[in-house]
């Protein structure tokens, strides 16, 4: 790859304006996907049923979305690798060995189920595990990312993490209930944003939905296909664009068959 020559200041020699962009390599990713298995992951999604007619839960939809994500990510680059964990009140490994095989992802999803216990979630161990694995990834010339699927509407996650240690990137997909007297999704969301900004090496994305629709979850997860080294700031993100039905007002072009006949 060749860069565009120049001094990069926008001021070229003579009358020409030249800009220099140094070539850079986009690293392969190691991605740890962590799923919140608090009992709130069993909330039913709207208008979505499984093969047996049973309504899909948040957890069911998250599993489908993860398989979709991994399959698409490997189609883009088969060198990406994935591992899986769950969050209850702490972190548990589901599949610790990073793999580029879709069958490994499907097997991991079969091993994830909701937890009967609930308690204040602490992300500190997740960040420690991520930092440990990120160091191993960096030795291999790879970058590390954590994708957290969070399902609680009233419990704000806690963490203790140094501000100056940013060795991985955190993305969050937040599924929640509507605001009410028993929950505070806005406060939870704000806490997740603070955690993301606190630990992320590159631009981390946080996406949320309180509508309970699986298609919105899938659409948001596909945004996370974007590579952290190639992202814009999230506030500048304008995808996916809504599809608006527009009635064409363009007049049909006249041809020999449709040209008006002049009369005298």
């Amino acid at each position: 790859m060749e860069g565009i020559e120049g001094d990069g200041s926008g001021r070229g020699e003579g009358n020409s304006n030249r800009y220099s962009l140094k070539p850079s390599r986009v690293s392969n990713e190691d991605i740890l996907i962590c799923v919140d298995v608090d009992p709130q992951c069993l909330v039913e999604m709207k208008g979505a049923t499984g093969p047996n007619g049973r309504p899909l839960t948040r957890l069911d939809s998250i599993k489908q979305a993860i398989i979709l994500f991994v399959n698409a990510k490997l189609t883009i680059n088969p060198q990406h690798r994935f591992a899986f964990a769950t969050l209850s009140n702490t972190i548990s490994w589901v599949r610790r060995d990073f793999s580029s095989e879709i069958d490994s992802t499907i097997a991991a999803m079969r091993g994830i189920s909701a937890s009967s216990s609930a308690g204040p979630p602490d992300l500190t161990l997740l960040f420690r595990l991520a930092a440990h694995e990120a160091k191993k990834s960096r030795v291999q010339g790879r970058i590390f990312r954590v994708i957290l699927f969070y399902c609680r509407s009233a419990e704000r996650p806690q963490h203790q993490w140094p501000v100056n240690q940013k060795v991985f990137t955190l993305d969050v997909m937040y599924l929640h209930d509507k605001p009410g007297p028993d929950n505070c999704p806005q406060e939870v969301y704000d806490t997740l944003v603070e955690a993301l900004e606190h630990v992320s090496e590159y631009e981390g994305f946080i996406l949320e939905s309180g509508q309970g629709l699986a298609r919105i979850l899938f659409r948001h997860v596909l945004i996370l296909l974007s590579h952290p080294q190639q992202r814009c700031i999230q506030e500048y993100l304008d995808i996916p664009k809504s599809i608006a039905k527009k009635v064409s007002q363009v007049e049909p072009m006249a041809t020999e068959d449709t040209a008006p006949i002049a009369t005298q």
Side-chain angles (χ1 to χ4, degrees):
M1 184 185 298
E2 296 180 355
I4 302 172
E5 297 180 356
D7 62 4
S9 65
R11 298 188 299 273
E13 297 179 0
N15 294 325
S16 63
N17 291 325
R18 309 179 73 182
Y19 180 79
S20 175
L21 179 63
K22 294 182 179 181
S24 61
R25 182 180 297 276
V26 175
S27 302
N28 296 328
E29 286 192 86
D30 287 337
I31 302 176
L32 170 58
I33 298 177
C34 183
V35 179
D36 183 8
V37 291
D38 179 84
Q40 291 188 53
C41 75
L42 296 178
V43 172
E44 294 180 357
M45 304 292 279
K46 297 178 181 177
T49 57
N52 57 1
R54 178 179 60 84
L56 293 181
T57 64
R58 285 175 179 165
L59 183 58
D60 295 327
S61 300
I62 287 171
K63 290 180 179 181
Q64 291 182 357
I66 289 172
I67 294 173
L68 172 66
F69 172 84
V70 172
N71 189 64
K73 194 73 175 171
L74 291 175
T75 301
I76 296 170
N77 181 354
Q79 300 303 315
H80 295 314
R81 303 185 304 199
F82 305 86
F84 304 93
T86 57
L87 169 67
S88 52
N89 56 344
T90 186
I91 303 297
S92 301
W93 282 107
V94 176
R95 189 168 295 265
R96 186 167 188 168
D97 295 331
F98 285 81
S99 172
S100 299
E101 299 295 328
I102 188 64
D103 289 342
S104 176
T105 298
I106 295 172
M109 294 303 100
R110 294 192 181 120
I112 295 178
S113 58
S115 172
S116 58
S117 62
D122 191 340
L123 301 181
T124 304
L125 180 56
L126 175 62
F127 296 163
R128 286 177 182 168
L129 293 175
H132 176 73
E133 297 294 333
K135 292 176 182 177
K136 295 191 290 185
S137 298
R138 186 161 297 188
V139 171
Q140 302 173 45
R142 309 172 70 89
I143 66 170
F144 199 90
R145 176 159 48 131
V146 175
I147 301 178
L148 172 64
F149 288 83
Y150 195 76
C151 299
R152 311 185 201 194
S153 301
E155 289 184 301
R156 291 183 287 182
Q158 304 170 358
H159 71 85
Q160 295 180 355
W161 196 249
V163 177
N164 59 349
Q165 188 173 351
K166 296 187 176 184
V167 295
F168 61 90
T169 300
L170 174 64
D171 288 335
V172 179
M173 179 67 234
Y174 180 33
L175 299 178
H176 57 84
D177 298 333
K178 298 289 186 182
D182 298 325
N183 57 49
C184 51
Q186 182 63 58
E187 287 80 0
V188 175
Y189 176 86
D190 292 342
T191 301
L192 290 167
V193 170
E194 292 173 1
L196 182 151
E197 294 176 345
H198 189 88
V199 303
S200 289
E201 178 182 16
Y202 297 101
E203 179 72 12
F205 286 170
I206 178 167
L207 303 162
E208 59 81 28
S209 175
Q211 300 181 46
L213 297 174
R215 68 173 183 271
I216 295 179
L217 168 62
F218 298 154
R219 187 172 66 194
H220 284 342
V221 165
L222 291 179
I223 294 175
L224 300 182
L225 289 172
S226 59
H227 194 286
Q229 291 177 316
Q230 297 178 309
R231 291 178 174 179
C232 65
I233 299 174
Q234 184 172 350
E235 64 183 273
Y236 298 152
L237 196 67
D238 63 349
I239 57 173
K241 296 181 181 293
S242 60
I243 301 175
K245 294 182 179 180
K246 297 182 179 180
V247 178
S248 176
Q249 301 296 328
V250 179
E251 293 287 342
M253 182 179 293
T255 64
E256 291 182 358
D257 295 332
T258 61
I261 301 174
T263 58
Q264 295 182 356

